[in-house]
Amino acid sequence: MLSCYDEKTFIINPLPTYYPDNIEVILTSDEYYPGITILDFDSIGFSAAINKQGNPIWFIDKYLFSNFNPKILVTQLLKSGNFIGLGGSSGYEFDIDGNIIFETPSAYGVHHYFIKENNTYFLIDAVTELHPCPEGCPENLPENINWQGDRFIQLNSDGEMIWEWNTFDYINLSEYNPYYLQRFSNSYPEATAMDWTHANSIFYDSDTENIFISIRNLSRIIKIDYSSMNIIWELGDISFMDEIYFNNEIEFSTQHSVKKIDNDHILLFDNHTFLVPQISRCIELEYNEISDSVEIIWEYTMPDNLFTGSRGECDRLDNGNTLIDVGRTGNILEINSNNELV
């Protein structure tokens, strides 16, 4: 029996002049996970959704809404159909037409990450405090310098803060990366603070009420108990770590986008910035808090020409494939469970 359906069409607004004209999609396998890909054009300052062929089917014009200037970048698609995103130093929830449902209060400056969980909003806000210049302080710096850390904040639907975790309260000042102290020295006094932690992601695990955060400049990920706010464990470069939690070391550097996936493992993008060779990768970690052990159970290493010293993300799709944003290279890859490019 042959069934026929009425043809349905839709149109989108005319593309803005800044929309890139060099998007190329290469399909190498029929294992492509069907659906729509939402991606950020960060250097241009807007987000778009593209189909399997790379054609745009939705975008937000950053100039249509004054609140979105100078950019609007999507960080999450909600089941309601609304979007979560950030622009300038604000976080937003908005609908498909760009109508703003929620905006973070001006008291908070949002950087890198903004998500919604359980009808609350999580954000990362930079915080600066004056502290003594650490051991090995360059001669051109004063005795006390500004340290720029981060605070992780949860807001309710009214924009009221209901949870806060501040790096200055839980990470010792002895734990710092000398590279960023020297970098601060090289640009002082134009630079006003040492970029101490530079957090870039936060993940709330509603099943266990734990928080996973990524501290880029310390090459460290931290698991936090939501209720007590105490650190459960830290994993990363032990050169900048006072307390070692695991009995074996996993090498990664200036990582991004740490998250727990359905099998309770940790997935992250390892930029591998300060390691040799400089080859970026996605890694999946399994950890055991009883034996204090951790191991890489899956990884995908980028080709040499796709090294990215900053940015990047790995997402596990429902069919087992992994979608990889290769940071500043401008490439997005989809890999099947056999590490084959699809």
Side-chain angles (χ1 to χ4, degrees):
M1 176 180 173
L2 181 65
S3 298
C4 296
Y5 298 89
D6 293 337
E7 184 178 277
K8 295 183 182 297
T9 62
F10 72 95
I11 60 173
I12 65 174
N13 292 327
L15 292 177
T17 57
Y18 55 78
Y19 191 88
D21 58 3
N22 57 345
I23 295 177
E24 179 185 17
V25 175
I26 301 173
L27 296 172
T28 62
S29 167
D30 59 4
E31 296 182 49
Y32 167 91
Y33 184 67
I36 302 302
T37 302
I38 302 171
L39 65 156
D40 297 330
F41 300 95
D42 185 37
S43 59
I44 307 176
F46 81 112
S47 293
I50 62 172
N51 63 12
K52 184 176 181 178
Q53 290 75 34
N55 298 318
I57 65 167
W58 173 87
F59 69 94
I60 282 291
D61 187 337
K62 60 182 179 179
Y63 295 123
L64 283 181
F65 308 95
S66 59
N67 278 338
F68 287 164
N69 285 331
K71 64 171 62 176
I72 178 62
L73 304 174
V74 172
T75 54
Q76 186 182 20
L77 174 63
L78 303 177
K79 291 182 179 180
S80 65
N82 287 346
F83 298 86
I84 298 295
L86 56 95
S89 60
S90 297
Y92 302 95
E93 178 178 349
F94 56 97
D95 65 20
I96 197 169
D97 296 316
N99 299 307
I100 295 175
I101 310 300
F102 176 86
E103 180 178 356
T104 54
S106 58
Y108 309 109
V110 181
H111 75 82
H112 280 83
Y113 224 68
F114 183 62
I115 57 173
K116 184 178 184 180
E117 298 291 345
N118 294 342
N119 204 36
T120 64
Y121 303 89
F122 287 90
L123 62 95
I124 305 174
D125 184 13
V127 57
T128 301
E129 293 186 6
L130 187 67
H131 292 284
C133 191
E135 183 179 354
C137 185
E139 293 182 356
N140 67 315
L141 294 179
E143 181 178 348
N144 295 302
I145 64 171
N146 286 319
W147 297 57
Q148 182 170 297
D150 295 282
R151 56 181 185 155
F152 301 83
I153 293 171
Q154 182 184 19
L155 305 176
N156 64 19
S157 57
D158 294 322
E160 301 166 332
M161 185 171 69
I162 57 176
W163 188 87
E164 178 186 9
W165 196 92
N166 191 320
T167 54
F168 285 104
D169 296 331
Y170 293 92
I171 301 177
N172 292 328
L173 296 181
S174 59
E175 303 177 78
Y176 72 96
N177 187 337
Y179 170 83
Y180 293 101
L181 177 62
Q182 187 60 53
R183 185 173 172 177
F184 173 51
S185 171
N186 293 342
S187 54
Y188 182 81
E190 288 76 16
T192 58
M194 179 181 70
D195 194 1
W196 175 39
T197 53
H198 199 112
N200 56 30
S201 73
I202 178 171
F203 181 89
Y204 174 71
D205 179 13
S206 58
D207 294 334
T208 61
E209 290 198 334
N210 291 319
I211 300 281
F212 295 86
I213 62 174
S214 170
I215 306 293
R216 191 198 77 169
N217 284 8
L218 297 180
S219 295
R220 183 183 306 185
I221 60 178
I222 303 177
K223 181 180 180 181
I224 301 165
D225 177 74
Y226 175 83
S227 297
S228 68
M229 296 191 289
N230 291 328
I231 292 175
I232 299 174
W233 51 253
E234 300 179 78
L235 176 67
D237 192 330
I238 61 175
S239 303
F240 321 127
M241 192 180 298
D242 287 351
E243 182 177 356
I244 309 301
Y245 289 79
F246 291 97
N247 56 31
N248 60 312
E249 186 179 0
I250 302 293
E251 278 198 333
F252 55 83
S253 177
T254 67
Q255 74 293 328
H256 284 73
S257 188
V258 172
K259 65 197 67 174
K260 195 191 87 167
I261 53 180
D262 291 341
N263 58 8
D264 292 335
H265 295 166
I266 301 299
L267 189 67
L268 61 93
F269 189 94
D270 172 19
N271 296 85
H272 228 68
T273 308
F274 298 125
L275 299 175
V276 178
Q278 287 187 318
I279 300 177
S280 301
R281 59 180 180 163
C282 282
I283 57 176
E284 180 181 340
L285 303 175
E286 181 180 27
Y287 62 90
N288 188 315
E289 294 174 355
I290 297 176
S291 63
D292 292 327
S293 61
V294 60
E295 62 177 319
I296 297 175
I297 64 165
W298 173 86
E299 67 178 297
Y300 179 81
T301 302
M302 312 301 156
D304 292 357
N305 64 323
L306 294 189
F307 167 75
T308 177
S310 61
R311 308 187 183 184
E313 183 167 3
C314 313
D315 287 310
R316 183 62 47 80
L317 304 176
D318 289 341
N319 68 344
N321 289 358
T322 304
L323 189 67
I324 305 171
D325 165 21
V326 197
R328 293 185 179 275
T329 71
N331 290 271
I332 296 177
L333 312 178
E334 184 175 336
I335 307 299
N336 67 15
S337 57
N338 295 319
N339 281 9
E340 299 166 333
L341 183 68
V342 301

